[in-house]
Amino acid sequence: MKQARQKTPGAAVLTMDAAAIDRALRRIAHEIVERNPQLTHVVLAGIPSRGVEIAQRIANFIHEIEKVSVETGVIDVAMHRDDVGTRSELPIVRESKLPLPLEERTVIVVDDVLYTGRTVRAAMDAISSFGRPARIQLAVLIDRGHRELPIRPDYVGKNLPTSGSEKVQVQLQETDHEPDEVRLEK
Amino acid sequence: MTTRWTRKDLLGLRELSADEINFILETADAFKQVGTREIKKVPALRGKTLVNFFVEPSTRTRTSFELAALRLSADVINLSATSSSLTKGETLKDTARNLEALHADILVLRHSSAGAPQFLANRLKASVINAGDGAHEHPTQALLDLYTIREKRGNIAGLRVAILGDILFSRVARSNIFGLLKLGAHVTLVGPSTLIPREFEKLGVQVSHKIDEVLPNADVVNLLRIQHERQRREYFPGIGEYIRLFGLTKERAKLLKPDCLIMHPGPINRGVEIDSVVADGLHSVILDQVTNGLAVRMAVLYLCGGISA
């Protein structure tokens, strides 16, 4: 789950810089190529907003590596969450865009941080309302642990052990207008 | 999108900011997409109960709210004036309190008295959505009109919108005027002087009684239904006279710009305010309005009903 970005430089530990993020996403691209011989059947579906950007970057790396253009999409999870009405702030809904039909395709859900797994559950629920993909995989930049559902990622940029009180902050040039960076805030 | 939605009720467009209106329209974009999915239902309001309470008759608005609520997985109860105890002398407040005792989360109210939704919103924990109150406001109709204009023309600011017909009695006109002006459109009201009091100019709109001068410059023509059931004779010489002076006939339609949009909240009186060929013609976006009404109402229910009490 994304947290509101807070600027408290004193308490933040830099976990990944731009070069590290770049290497991690490039490695994920290689792993996706290895595991999916039929790249033309793959859809990289990003969860707004940073997941969408990460999906695009992975697609660019796959194109560099294999010269294949993998399809990308957007999967909104806000209207599929199971906690509407219990949170003080209502999640903003965004338009989903997926190439159709999904049958025969492998949909790779892409997000910045994997935490409880509830967002990913909502994403799988949303995808199934578009059709029945052959398989769904999961790619995340950061896995910070603390799962509350039986969900595990297929592709991980970095495993980051955290405590529940810490916050993982991902910032990307395109979405946050700040240099790429992952910070762990106490 | 930086605005956050903080209202439990939607009572009118007069009290909304331009940012809030745009936020609803952007939220509606996401819900419009849901209508194109194989499974057109999302769990956003699962476990919530919506009561459609229509003290005045309505089919189209009620079914639109009902389908919107069902697509959000809410449970829906429909009540009309005759199926409620209003006819047995129960007051509106007591009826509403009974609904609340059933743990209704959202109350969609259509009422013949202006201010009835406000009255209940102030007294109930449930979200109250105004589905038309007297001659006051009909906010979701105006929102779906704004959504349709924005969808077809990309933007609303700077467009010339003519609202034609029975303005005096029209809550649709009032909500449209508030919404259009906030989003930067130029609004001209056209119709017989008995149905457009000069008072309306104070809102910041222009008033014209000559349709043929307005049509050539209009980017949007929003026709209002002539409400026979409300009309008293002194306002209105006769249908034939009205058609001759203000009807959107196929001859008059030739005055329109090629990309002008013709809108109508329905139900249309073919041959009265609009000719059949015009209602079904290329300019007409009347059925898009119906589709968009669903998306806009889903957005409103999600935003108002999703806020934690």
Side-chain angles (χ1 to χ4, degrees):
Chain A
M1 252 168 52
K2 296 176 200 78
Q3 313 285 352
R5 220 150 44 79
Q6 290 178 342
K7 297 220 165 172
T8 46
V13 178
L14 181 67
T15 310
M16 293 178 95
D17 60 10
I21 292 172
D22 215 53
R23 278 193 300 275
L25 296 183
R26 193 182 291 272
R27 180 170 49 72
I28 289 175
H30 276 285
E31 289 173 7
I32 289 173
V33 170
E34 263 176 42
R35 295 226 350 225
N36 296 280
Q38 286 187 294
L39 279 175
T40 49
H41 289 198
V42 167
V43 181
L44 293 166
I47 296 175
S49 55
R50 296 188 191 86
V52 176
E53 171 55 27
I54 292 172
Q56 189 54 52
R57 291 192 190 184
I58 294 174
N60 295 346
F61 284 130
I62 292 176
H63 189 261
E64 272 180 33
I65 299 162
E66 289 291 297
K67 305 288 175 251
V68 176
S69 294
V70 174
E71 290 192 88
T72 57
V74 176
I75 189 75
D76 171 77
V77 296
M79 59 181 94
H80 290 269
R81 293 198 63 98
D82 57 7
D83 57 0
V84 168
T86 62
R87 303 195 327 167
S88 56
E89 197 178 325
L90 197 61
I92 291 174
V93 295
R94 293 192 168 80
E95 196 176 338
S96 292
K97 287 178 196 146
L98 286 176
L100 298 175
L102 289 181
E103 281 67 13
E104 316 282 313
R105 293 185 203 255
T106 297
V107 178
I108 304 180
V109 175
V110 182
D111 204 1
D112 53 352
V113 179
L114 176 59
Y115 186 25
T116 63
R118 290 181 190 269
T119 301
V120 176
R121 184 210 60 78
M124 290 193 286
D125 184 35
I127 288 166
S128 63
S129 69
F130 285 85
R132 188 175 179 279
R135 61 188 68 78
I136 298 177
Q137 299 174 350
L138 175 60
V140 294
L141 177 60
I142 303 287
D143 180 355
R144 63 168 292 189
H146 303 282
R147 216 77 73 238
E148 294 171 1
L149 296 171
I151 283 170
R152 59 157 186 81
D154 298 273
Y155 313 97
V156 182
K158 186 179 178 70
N159 283 297
L160 187 60
T162 59
S163 77
S165 62
E166 290 170 318
K167 287 179 180 172
V168 178
Q169 309 283 4
V170 175
Q171 75 184 26
L172 299 175
Q173 185 66 54
E174 289 80 352
T175 50
D176 305 286
H177 311 290
E178 302 268 356
D180 288 4
E181 210 171 88
V182 178
R183 290 189 307 273
L184 184 61
E185 289 175 5
K186 305 283 175 192
Chain B
M1 282 196 291
T2 50
T3 313
R4 277 168 48 190
W5 186 260
T6 53
R7 296 175 187 271
K8 88 172 169 72
D9 311 301
L10 178 69
L11 304 175
L13 293 197
R14 183 175 218 161
E15 62 261 28
L16 297 191
S17 67
D19 280 348
E20 285 176 306
I21 293 172
N22 280 319
F23 187 73
I24 296 172
L25 301 182
E26 285 165 31
T27 302
D29 281 334
F31 285 111
K32 180 158 188 184
Q33 192 284 322
V34 173
T36 67
R37 297 184 189 179
E38 198 166 289
I39 296 168
K40 297 169 182 54
K41 190 166 175 140
V42 296
L45 293 185
R46 189 167 57 187
K48 301 259 183 190
T49 303
L50 177 142
V51 176
N52 253 335
F53 190 21
F54 279 64
V55 179
E56 253 189 358
S58 157
T59 312
R60 153 181 338 241
T61 305
R62 185 184 58 72
T63 38
S64 181
F65 268 110
E66 183 171 1
L67 189 53
L70 292 173
R71 289 203 170 161
L72 293 168
S73 305
D75 296 309
V76 182
I77 303 167
N78 286 303
L79 285 181
S80 63
T82 46
S83 70
S84 74
S85 291
L86 283 180
T87 47
K88 299 175 193 163
E90 190 178 64
T91 63
L92 178 62
K93 188 177 168 188
D94 282 330
T95 303
R97 289 174 59 128
N98 276 280
L99 296 173
E100 191 158 61
L102 296 171
H103 304 295
D105 301 288
I106 305 170
L107 177 62
V108 177
L109 181 67
R110 159 74 57 98
H111 202 282
S112 51
S113 297
Q118 175 84 62
F119 176 85
L120 290 181
N122 293 347
R123 285 162 181 79
L124 298 179
K125 273 191 302 210
S127 293
V128 176
I129 313 292
N130 181 4
D133 59 333
H136 176 227
E137 284 225 41
H138 190 352
T140 57
Q141 176 68 45
L143 287 167
L144 75 89
D145 292 341
L146 294 170
Y147 186 92
T148 305
I149 297 171
R150 169 178 165 277
E151 179 183 66
K152 300 290 173 190
R153 301 299 299 262
N155 204 354
I156 289 173
L159 293 182
R160 299 189 175 279
V161 180
I163 303 177
L164 191 57
D166 184 355
I167 312 286
L168 178 59
F169 294 98
S170 177
R171 53 193 173 216
V172 176
R174 292 174 57 84
S175 290
N176 257 286
I177 291 166
F178 296 133
L180 286 164
L181 292 178
K182 282 173 203 267
L183 298 191
H186 305 286
V187 180
T188 305
L189 309 178
V190 191
S193 52
T194 49
L195 293 177
I196 311 180
R198 285 274 164 195
E199 288 290 297
F200 273 91
E201 286 182 343
K202 288 186 189 156
L203 297 174
V205 299
Q206 292 187 304
V207 170
S208 169
H209 305 302
K210 291 175 180 161
I211 185 174
D212 294 342
E213 290 177 7
V214 174
L215 291 183
N217 295 315
D219 297 300
V220 178
V221 176
N222 202 345
L223 292 156
L224 303 177
R225 189 172 67 89
I226 294 302
Q227 304 187 48
H228 306 291
E229 70 273 19
R230 286 173 207 270
Q231 234 56 267
R232 286 181 301 186
R233 292 201 179 281
E234 58 263 38
Y235 290 108
F236 213 68
I239 295 292
E241 174 92 348
Y242 184 85
I243 296 172
R244 194 173 63 72
L245 289 172
F246 296 105
L248 189 56
T249 58
K250 61 175 187 285
E251 289 75 30
R252 282 215 172 93
K254 289 174 189 158
L255 296 172
L256 296 170
K257 292 202 247 181
D259 59 352
C260 180
L261 306 176
I262 293 177
M263 309 177 74
H264 193 302
I268 46 180
N269 293 322
R270 285 175 187 268
V272 182
E273 65 263 2
I274 186 167
D275 267 0
S276 251
V277 285
V278 183
D280 303 327
L282 289 174
H283 294 286
S284 169
V285 293
I286 295 172
L287 292 175
D288 297 276
Q289 288 174 270
V290 177
T291 307
N292 292 337
L294 196 54
V296 163
R297 291 186 174 110
M298 285 173 82
V300 167
L301 294 178
Y302 173 78
L303 292 174
C304 292
I307 284 201
S308 55

